[in-house]
Amino acid sequence: MQGLRAKFRLAAVVALTLWIALLGLYSLLKPISNGCVMTYMYPTYIPISAAGDAAAASGKYGLYLYHEGWKKIDFDEHLKQLSGVPVLFIPGNGGSFKQVRSVAAESDRAYQGGPPESTFHHEAGLTSEEGRADTHLAGFELPTQYKNRLDWFAVDLEGEHSAMDGQILEEHTEYVVYAIHRILDQYKHSHDVREKEGAAASSSLPKSVILVGHSMGGFVARAAMIHPRLRKAAVETILTLSTPHQSPPVALQPSLGHYFEHVNREWRKGYEVQSTHAASYVTDLSNVIVVSISGGYNDYQVRTKLETLDGIVPPTHGFFISSTSMRNVWLSMEHQAILWCNQLVVQVSQTLLNLVDTKTGVPFPERQKRLSVFARMLRSGIPDAFQWTSQPDSNASQVGAFFFCLGGQVARLPGCPNNLIWKDDGLERDLYIETITVTVLAMDGRRRWLDIHKLGSNGKSHFVFVTNLAPCSGARLHLWPEKGKSNSDSPSDKRVIEITSKLVQIPSGPAPVQMEPGSQTEQAPPSSVLRLTPEDMQGFRFLTISIAPRPIVSGRPPPGASMAVGQFFDAKDGERVLSAPALLLSAYSSKDVLLEEDHPIALNLSFDINLGLLPTSLSLKATGCGIQRSGLPDEEVGDMDNSKLCKLRCFPPVALAWDSTSGLHVFPNAYSETVTVDSSPALLSSSPGSGKTSVLLLVDPHCSYELTFAASLTAAAGKFLLLYSSQIVGSFFAVIFFALMQQVRAWDLDLPIPSVLTAMESNLKMPLPFAPLGFSPLLLSLFVCVLNSQPLPPLVSFIAVSIICYVLANGVGAILVWVSQFLFYAAALTHVFIKSRWQQWETKFCFAYLRWFITLSSGFFSLKAMRVIRASPSVLTALMAVTFGSFIHPALGLLTLLLAHAICCHNALCSHTRKKEFLGHEDKDKEISWQQPLSKREVVGVNQSVLLEENSSSDSPNSSKSFSDTQLEIFHHRHGLLILHLMAALMFAPSFVAWLQRISMGHSFPWFLDSTLCIGVILHGVLCSNPDFSSLFSFPRMIWKELRLDFVYLLAGIYSYMAGLGSAPYKVFYPIASIGFLAFALKMSQLRNKNNGESRLGRRKKHSHRH
């Protein structure tokens, strides 16, 4: 009964794994609509010839200069006129240098068109942590015209897969350093040529190159900064697009992970140079800034958590921003789309052009000015702290306070430009609002007065204003300490504060189409929002909202639908908490929340489960809007007419989701949206607040809604596979180590060796041993975090997700074991069937020639050299595998080891199958005597231990049965090693693919770290292939237990589990290689003792199975 329960338990785990895998694949393969506009260009690529001694070293790569235009040009003449600002584009994994064309073309258009027109929205700047109060920023404004163009260069890296191999990554870094020097030398050469020809030379030569890297190209840019041969101050600005900074996106190869750690460690040291007396060889990065742009939740290849700069670049030298919160972008995009998405490349082009000082024509030398340009051009004015409605804005100082009081004096906000100043006679008459909600449905030229003390009483102390009118030209807002006595009172009074520039821009959906002039249309989506807290309105009595009578800017038609809605409300009334149980149950049955009319305009939804882990669909259905029906019969009206009427009255809802990792996500026209964020919750490195997600809904209070939310299991499965694949890989190795532990323990206790599946079934038994195996690594990881003074992750979600990953790893392991075991049994049965028929047919005349060939072959195998090889097949396996792994590629060495495992498993299973066949057919088939020892011809390929044990067996049926059982145990043990080493070989598969791609470019030896770990894995596979080898692993008793191989496997499993929790699955090679080298040392010690005449007395009794 217990065995049946164990099998049912494992079958349930396998079913869960398959279900999550299928749902996840369906979600990941589903087409994505990102809303990006295609970028068009007329590209020309000018090759830059290699120069100097580096020409030979850089022969396989290339450098190109981009030119935009359809006309043919003279390359040499064009290079002679180089005088712009050099920008070097570095493609990513498998990328092409031609990917520079989108951003380079838009840079050329932006330079010719000039800076964008100001919108007078609130602009974000540097935070106080980033150095907003720096003296270099006093009076600093963005340029009003572009002084110099950008010259875009690109390196041709032959489309190599740098994300798969650390050696390729290092070679790319070497060439990028050369390309930077070559670009600067080209400018000097062009300058000298122009001087010789008497042409006007540029005012100053560029001293640095701006680096723009996509994907792994961004990491190459950072790696180039710490290269010892890079010239000082040759690079001061780095912009990365969808670049993994924290660790590789596929952290499987040890050397790749080690290279990432090395580069990040050197960057941390480089920023310490400015505050400590570091060694002279440490690169000084004190004037280098890095800005990382993420593609958001639609980027499946590189997750946002990997793209952050936390712990690598201090806030004073760079920041991270997601494309979903970028000004004028507001979109999430795929990994490759970030290169051509027009909304993003236009903003990036304008930003880089604003880096150029109009006085000198080169980028600003001051670090804070360059960082301020990036912040003001890329960040939106929406605060990063998203507790809008529940508490005062504690982070207002971090995003730029709108106004503040010092000693009773009020610092003013920037007002509207003089050419947009309204005159009082332009306002027809004032309106006095007596309700908490104010509505504007047309540009009526009126000023609306709101009494803050009266309308903001009874706890309704927060005010939110939503509009699609442009600031200054469409609407203006003021705070008054007292009401003016007449319409002639000017808002220019020093006591009156204009807060129009406090309006922050939000993305708006497409405007409704006006079918005919004068016809009524749907409400336009809002494009601006303003929030006033009680602290903002303290000391003021009135708030005025002034609407323009007509568009102030000439030549522009009035909008088809004008809208503005403001409301005083109680922050607590707008709070909704969606608990974890309710969210989980909503996956099967959607939950509804009713919003009556006059509800708060801002609803703060708090999800107890991070939406990055459990994406949730939000649907808003209008149920009423205070407008009577059209008068049509009920059967002709229905819900559609009611919904249409409500869209005429109420503005489309807007959802703003905020996450501590990825920042802001905006969903305009959120009538039906699957709200998700690109977060990484429940990881060991997650921040304590990452377990929840806040969503702000801006909903028109004039309409009543039915809010429906339902968790999407399909999207959740896809997110889970993306976020926790590294954790599942590490847990998989832990599962196999724990299974090997059970096998070795059974051998030491003189019990039959269980199969890998049986060992996995045993390890899933509740509460023991599942609880200690599944939870002890989690507790150890948390303990390590406490020792290192690191913040603890959200404990509930971290433990739950980690256990799910461990269970899924068991499911993946069971599937792999089942499939491989089925193949081995099928091959063994086929082999035995063919061999038995061959023995019946070999006496026939037609097979005489084959017998002669076999006899001739047996003479070859009887040679002394072949006898030595056959006597020690493990030595041959080790030599071949070590040679391949050390001098060609580690994957080839591991494939050799896998082949040896497969042959041994096949031979052992064939021996087991033949004995079973003999016992079942002994009376029926007297011609074949399996009771006699096998001839040498029958045991070609069988390992030596099997052959000796078989020859020493007796002729009794019981002895034959014992031999059969022993062969099955040998199969089980080697099968477990095969699964372990198969996964190790698969981790080198991406690197092997990259090696095959560049095999024609010349051979280079593998990295020393990869080769060393590969040798350790090979030694483990060769020396630990015999179960009896565990007797060598006997160390002094520690505490309560003698340290043997089973305990070593337990420690290896725990370490692998913890490596997965740390998102570093490549570290699983360390315990495997350590066991291999330890086994080799013990084997050498045993041979030395044997040569000295000493005998090592094992403490366990000999295994009682007859062989």
PDB file of all heavy atoms in Angstrom, residues 127 159 224 257 338 356 572 840 888 976 1006:
ATOM      1  N   THR A 127      16.940  62.480  -8.073  1.00  0.00           N
ATOM      2  CA  THR A 127      16.495  62.368  -6.698  1.00  0.00           C
ATOM      3  C   THR A 127      17.575  62.928  -5.779  1.00  0.00           C
ATOM      4  O   THR A 127      18.715  63.161  -6.180  1.00  0.00           O
ATOM      5  CB  THR A 127      16.206  60.909  -6.337  1.00  0.00           C
ATOM      6  OG1 THR A 127      17.431  60.172  -6.351  1.00  0.00           O
ATOM      7  CG2 THR A 127      15.242  60.295  -7.338  1.00  0.00           C
ATOM      8  N   GLY A 159      27.798  38.024 -35.465  1.00  0.00           N
ATOM      9  CA  GLY A 159      26.601  37.352 -34.973  1.00  0.00           C
ATOM     10  C   GLY A 159      26.874  36.234 -33.998  1.00  0.00           C
ATOM     11  O   GLY A 159      26.069  35.296 -33.860  1.00  0.00           O
ATOM     12  N   ALA A 224      34.376  46.472 -21.087  1.00  0.00           N
ATOM     13  CA  ALA A 224      35.445  47.237 -21.725  1.00  0.00           C
ATOM     14  C   ALA A 224      35.959  48.349 -20.811  1.00  0.00           C
ATOM     15  O   ALA A 224      37.131  48.739 -20.886  1.00  0.00           O
ATOM     16  CB  ALA A 224      34.954  47.828 -23.047  1.00  0.00           C
ATOM     17  N   GLY A 257      29.402  32.679 -15.788  1.00  0.00           N
ATOM     18  CA  GLY A 257      29.007  33.249 -14.508  1.00  0.00           C
ATOM     19  C   GLY A 257      30.172  33.856 -13.762  1.00  0.00           C
ATOM     20  O   GLY A 257      30.043  34.913 -13.122  1.00  0.00           O
ATOM     21  N   ILE A 338      13.006  46.427 -28.955  1.00  0.00           N
ATOM     22  CA  ILE A 338      13.519  47.637 -28.304  1.00  0.00           C
ATOM     23  C   ILE A 338      14.500  48.380 -29.199  1.00  0.00           C
ATOM     24  O   ILE A 338      14.769  49.565 -28.996  1.00  0.00           O
ATOM     25  CB  ILE A 338      14.175  47.259 -26.953  1.00  0.00           C
ATOM     26  CG1 ILE A 338      14.286  48.484 -26.054  1.00  0.00           C
ATOM     27  CG2 ILE A 338      15.542  46.616 -27.174  1.00  0.00           C
ATOM     28  CD1 ILE A 338      14.729  48.165 -24.647  1.00  0.00           C
ATOM     29  N   VAL A 356      24.940  66.906 -25.503  1.00  0.00           N
ATOM     30  CA  VAL A 356      25.989  67.707 -26.125  1.00  0.00           C
ATOM     31  C   VAL A 356      25.899  69.149 -25.634  1.00  0.00           C
ATOM     32  O   VAL A 356      24.842  69.795 -25.725  1.00  0.00           O
ATOM     33  CB  VAL A 356      25.889  67.646 -27.656  1.00  0.00           C
ATOM     34  CG1 VAL A 356      27.009  68.440 -28.301  1.00  0.00           C
ATOM     35  CG2 VAL A 356      25.928  66.194 -28.124  1.00  0.00           C
ATOM     36  N   LYS A 572      -9.023  56.734   2.525  1.00  0.00           N
ATOM     37  CA  LYS A 572      -9.386  55.400   3.004  1.00  0.00           C
ATOM     38  C   LYS A 572     -10.546  54.806   2.214  1.00  0.00           C
ATOM     39  O   LYS A 572     -10.646  53.590   2.082  1.00  0.00           O
ATOM     40  CB  LYS A 572      -9.739  55.471   4.490  1.00  0.00           C
ATOM     41  CG  LYS A 572      -8.562  55.868   5.371  1.00  0.00           C
ATOM     42  CD  LYS A 572      -8.953  55.871   6.841  1.00  0.00           C
ATOM     43  CE  LYS A 572      -7.757  56.263   7.713  1.00  0.00           C
ATOM     44  NZ  LYS A 572      -8.107  56.299   9.156  1.00  0.00           N
ATOM     45  N   GLN A 840      20.981 -19.097 -32.894  1.00  0.00           N
ATOM     46  CA  GLN A 840      20.276 -20.173 -33.586  1.00  0.00           C
ATOM     47  C   GLN A 840      20.652 -20.228 -35.058  1.00  0.00           C
ATOM     48  O   GLN A 840      20.636 -21.286 -35.676  1.00  0.00           O
ATOM     49  CB  GLN A 840      18.765 -19.975 -33.441  1.00  0.00           C
ATOM     50  CG  GLN A 840      18.268 -20.070 -32.005  1.00  0.00           C
ATOM     51  CD  GLN A 840      16.793 -19.795 -31.886  1.00  0.00           C
ATOM     52  OE1 GLN A 840      16.100 -19.649 -32.897  1.00  0.00           O
ATOM     53  NE2 GLN A 840      16.292 -19.739 -30.668  1.00  0.00           N
ATOM     54  N   ILE A 888      39.527  20.536 -26.360  1.00  0.00           N
ATOM     55  CA  ILE A 888      38.562  20.859 -27.417  1.00  0.00           C
ATOM     56  C   ILE A 888      37.381  21.622 -26.830  1.00  0.00           C
ATOM     57  O   ILE A 888      37.238  22.825 -27.019  1.00  0.00           O
ATOM     58  CB  ILE A 888      38.097  19.575 -28.140  1.00  0.00           C
ATOM     59  CG1 ILE A 888      39.313  18.833 -28.716  1.00  0.00           C
ATOM     60  CG2 ILE A 888      37.127  19.920 -29.254  1.00  0.00           C
ATOM     61  CD1 ILE A 888      38.966  17.545 -29.438  1.00  0.00           C
ATOM     62  N   GLY A 976      21.600   6.498 -12.360  1.00  0.00           N
ATOM     63  CA  GLY A 976      21.570   7.744 -11.601  1.00  0.00           C
ATOM     64  C   GLY A 976      22.724   8.662 -11.953  1.00  0.00           C
ATOM     65  O   GLY A 976      22.553   9.875 -12.111  1.00  0.00           O
ATOM     66  N   PRO A1006      39.567  25.779 -24.267  1.00  0.00           N
ATOM     67  CA  PRO A1006      38.528  26.200 -23.324  1.00  0.00           C
ATOM     68  C   PRO A1006      39.125  26.951 -22.140  1.00  0.00           C
ATOM     69  O   PRO A1006      40.329  26.880 -21.876  1.00  0.00           O
ATOM     70  CB  PRO A1006      37.893  24.866 -22.880  1.00  0.00           C
ATOM     71  CG  PRO A1006      38.314  23.862 -23.893  1.00  0.00           C
ATOM     72  CD  PRO A1006      39.632  24.321 -24.416  1.00  0.00           C
TER      73      PRO A1006
END
